[in-house]
Amino acid sequence: MTQAPEKMVIVSGIQPSGNLHLGNYFGAVQQFIQFHEGGHACYYFLANYHALTSLRDGQRLLNLTRSTAADYIALGLDPGRCSIYLQSDMPEVCELQWLLTTVTPMGLLERCHAFKDKAQQGIPSDHGLFAYPVLMAADILIVSANRVPVGQDQKQHIEVTRDIAQYFNNVYGDLLTIPEAFIPESVATVPGRDGRKMSKSYNNTIELFAKEEEVRQQIYSIVTDSASVAEPKDPEKSMLYAILKLFCNLEEQAYWQDRFRSGGLGYREVKQAIFDRFMEKFGPARDRRKELESQPEYVDEILKRGVDQARKVALPLVRKVREAVGIPNN
Ligand code: ATP
Ligand code: MG
């Protein structure tokens, strides 16, 4: 990692493709908050153009976009310290995407997991999925970001962004800032209820804002082995421990590791502990989220202000890029 400048530009987004879950919080939103508390210039957006690669129900996308914006605010993103906006309110990202596309080698995109996995499984994929990393590069480069807080699954896409920016700079001069991913090891991949990465699209999530009974049901359906209560268990092999640990400080982690290893710990007790810790941690955000339900104008106002701020840095960059490639600014 290069020496971090004191004040950095931070950018990241979440797709409004489903309800926010523990993986989104620990893998992304928690770091978003840390960066804005650190006084950096932070841009957090709802990637609704990206969501179109997995969601083809217009009304549902609109509803999720609105509700995810409220989720962001309820979780503690402070509109006074960061810009929160809809990707589609800055349509210049699509223009920049095209300009970047023209310097992006096919091979770079063909190597990307999201696309390759589908192709290998014989699932037909569309150009949207193939070009997804270029749109993501545009989101990042348009605000000249230094750091991008994301989960491990996005690491490759950030590397692609760096490559694309370098290709562009080699041809047209040093206009684009080369960003770095920010992925804290302990939260890089939050496992889902079935042991795969927790993902909105895998139906294996624990949702941050589901009704209390649904949250309980989701937590109680985390897959476990059939070990009896009496048996000692290896916490490092337990998905339950991997999820519980997210809520624990080092001392608490040591306590639970010991309980796992000593035997006499039943999975029900661990599930109850996860549920209790979940409610303790997210209770205030869940209350705030309910209040925001009746304040849609407030959320709209924040999004409007957010995009105005983001465009202040994005549009001058787009103008410079147009100039460099020979597209007239008007
Ligand atoms: P989808 O299934 O539609 O791709 P998703 O659940 O993967 O949805 P995204 O909107 O793609 O969510 O990702 C938003 C952010 O959350 C990204 O930075 C991503 O890396 C992070 N993230 C998503 N799932 C996890 C996870 N299980 N662990 C850690 N980070 C995650
Ligand atoms: Mg994803």
Side-chain angles (χ1 to χ4, degrees), residues 15 17 21 23-24 27 150-151 153-154 188 190 197-201:
Q15 303 182 71
S17 51
H21 54 75
N24 297 138
V150 283
D153 61 318
Q154 294 301 322
V190 173
K197 171 190 117 62
M198 189 177 285
S199 273
K200 292 180 224 113
S201 51

Side-chain angles (χ1 to χ4, degrees), residues 257-284:
Q257 284 190 13
D258 191 46
R259 293 278 323 269
F260 268 77
R261 293 206 171 96
S262 320
L265 175 68
Y267 290 136
R268 276 192 83 79
E269 184 183 339
V270 186
K271 288 176 175 175
Q272 183 61 42
I274 295 174
F275 178 79
D276 293 343
R277 301 303 291 266
F278 178 101
M279 286 302 164
E280 188 185 311
K281 182 161 183 69
F282 296 112

Side-chain angles (χ1 to χ4, degrees), residues 24-317:
N24 297 138
Y25 180 78
F26 286 106
V29 175
Q30 179 176 256
Q31 283 67 254
F32 296 2
I33 295 167
Q34 278 166 10
F35 275 116
H36 81 32
E37 281 176 353
H40 300 286
C42 298
Y43 299 95
Y44 301 131
F45 62 95
L46 302 160
N48 53 348
Y49 284 145
H50 274 109
L52 286 169
T53 60
S54 62
L55 191 59
R56 289 182 176 168
D57 175 339
Q59 193 54 52
R60 184 163 151 74
L61 178 58
L62 264 180
N63 294 343
L64 279 168
T65 304
R66 181 174 284 273
S67 75
T68 310
D71 293 348
Y72 262 11
I73 298 162
L75 285 170
L77 290 196
D78 175 353
R81 290 193 280 182
C82 64
S83 305
I84 304 172
Y85 57 98
L86 301 190
Q87 184 183 35
S88 59
D89 281 342
M90 194 150 74
E92 291 80 7
V93 291
C94 291
E95 180 185 353
L96 183 59
Q97 177 194 16
W98 177 252
L99 302 179
L100 297 174
T101 292
T102 61
V103 297
T104 303
M106 289 287 284
L108 191 64
L109 301 182
E110 279 163 353
R111 283 195 292 277
C112 287
H113 299 306
F115 169 73
K116 227 167 69 179
D117 291 352
K118 272 203 177 175
Q120 268 167 4
Q121 289 172 47
I123 301 170
S125 51
D126 50 41
H127 182 249
L129 187 72
F130 185 68
Y132 184 111
V134 194
L135 179 56
M136 181 160 159
D139 295 325
I140 295 168
L141 300 172
I142 205 166
V143 293
S144 304
N146 306 109
R147 294 283 183 279
V148 190
V150 283
Q152 180 67 25
D153 61 318
Q154 294 301 322
K155 187 172 195 282
Q156 187 187 36
H157 288 159
I158 308 295
E159 278 157 16
V160 167
T161 298
R162 291 167 58 88
D163 287 348
I164 293 174
Q166 264 145 2
Y167 286 126
F168 185 93
N169 285 352
N170 286 343
V171 179
Y172 294 111
D174 275 343
L175 287 180
L176 304 178
T177 302
I178 312 294
E180 283 180 22
F182 179 80
I183 308 173
E185 174 79 39
S186 60
V187 287
T189 307
V190 173
R193 290 182 275 136
D194 57 2
R196 294 184 292 168
K197 171 190 117 62
M198 189 177 285
S199 273
K200 292 180 224 113
S201 51
Y202 291 171
N203 190 27
N204 67 353
T205 63
I206 299 169
E207 290 173 30
L208 301 175
F209 296 104
K211 292 201 181 78
E212 190 167 325
E213 266 325 292
E214 281 171 56
V215 172
R216 186 191 301 280
Q217 186 266 324
Q218 288 171 353
I219 290 172
Y220 274 70
S221 69
I222 298 170
V223 173
T224 55
D225 61 24
S226 55
S228 68
V229 173
E231 275 175 72
K233 302 166 182 75
D234 182 352
E236 301 310 332
K237 291 197 181 128
S238 164
M239 233 148 53
L240 276 184
Y241 178 70
I243 293 175
L244 176 61
K245 166 171 105 167
L246 297 165
F247 296 92
C248 295
N249 61 28
L250 289 177
E251 205 179 312
E252 291 162 336
Q253 287 180 26
Y255 164 83
W256 283 107
Q257 284 190 13
D258 191 46
R259 293 278 323 269
F260 268 77
R261 293 206 171 96
S262 320
L265 175 68
Y267 290 136
R268 276 192 83 79
E269 184 183 339
V270 186
K271 288 176 175 175
Q272 183 61 42
I274 295 174
F275 178 79
D276 293 343
R277 301 303 291 266
F278 178 101
M279 286 302 164
E280 188 185 311
K281 182 161 183 69
F282 296 112
R286 290 163 60 84
D287 291 344
R288 177 85 184 106
R289 180 69 188 78
K290 273 193 205 118
E291 284 167 26
L292 287 169
E293 205 110 310
S294 59
Q295 302 170 290
E297 311 79 25
Y298 171 68
V299 175
D300 286 348
E301 180 54 38
I302 286 169
L303 295 175
K304 185 173 175 330
R305 213 170 346 124
V307 79
D308 287 348
Q309 287 160 346
R311 285 169 75 103
K312 273 202 193 110
V313 301
L315 298 198
L317 191 269

